[in-house]
Every structure is written in C-alpha cells, then in structure tokens.
Amino acid sequence: MYEFYTKYPGTGKALLLKSLDSMDDVKVIDRDKQIFEINGKHWEFLESQHVMTEFAGHGYTIKILVKELTAEKS
C-alpha cells in the first residue's frame, strides 16, 4: 500500500492526501524531478519510509511525504 502525505505549514502535522494499492494509479508529471499529480494538484516528492504493518496480508506500507508545488508569483 502507498500513502501520500503532506505537512501543514508551521505545525508539522501530517495530512493524508491519498491511499493507493499501486503506484500505477499515480499520474507522473516529471519522473526526473519526482513530481506527481494527486487530487488534481502537483506535488513534489520529499521522502519516503517503509512502515511494517499486518494490513491485508502486506508486510509494509510505503509512506510518501510530498510538498505541493505552487505557481511562481511574478
């Protein structure tokens, strides 16, 4: 299982964006820069971790921390 999280600014609290069974369900915008589209917005990969679980016969969940990309203001 894959879980995409972001952090609230200033608090460090995590917010679950999306939980998926397969990375095939994630739209990759830029593979080299590790930018994905989740819930209609673009997100940049920050880090991931494997968490041991006993969920649905899987041995681990991959938690992926992402940061929302915002348009540059001119």
Side-chain angles (χ1 to χ4, degrees):
M1 176 170 283
Y2 298 87
E3 295 179 343
F4 286 85
Y5 288 88
T6 192
K7 289 188 178 178
Y8 285 111
T11 66
K13 291 186 179 182
L15 170 68
L16 178 63
L17 297 170
K18 193 163 211 161
S19 181
L20 303 166
D21 289 328
S22 169
M23 283 297 285
D24 293 340
D25 299 328
V26 175
K27 183 176 181 182
V28 177
I29 302 301
D30 187 323
R31 187 168 305 281
D32 293 334
K33 294 181 182 176
Q34 297 182 321
I35 297 172
F36 308 99
E37 183 177 301
I38 303 167
N39 300 338
K41 295 181 179 180
H42 291 181
W43 301 85
E44 179 182 16
F45 172 85
L46 294 177
E47 65 182 50
S48 67
Q49 61 179 334
H50 290 65
V51 179
M52 298 304 291
T53 63
E54 293 300 325
F55 177 76
H58 297 287
Y60 60 90
T61 295
I62 299 175
K63 294 184 180 247
I64 303 165
L65 183 64
V66 293
K67 176 180 78 171
E68 184 175 5
L69 291 178
T70 55
E72 294 292 324
K73 295 185 180 184
S74 53

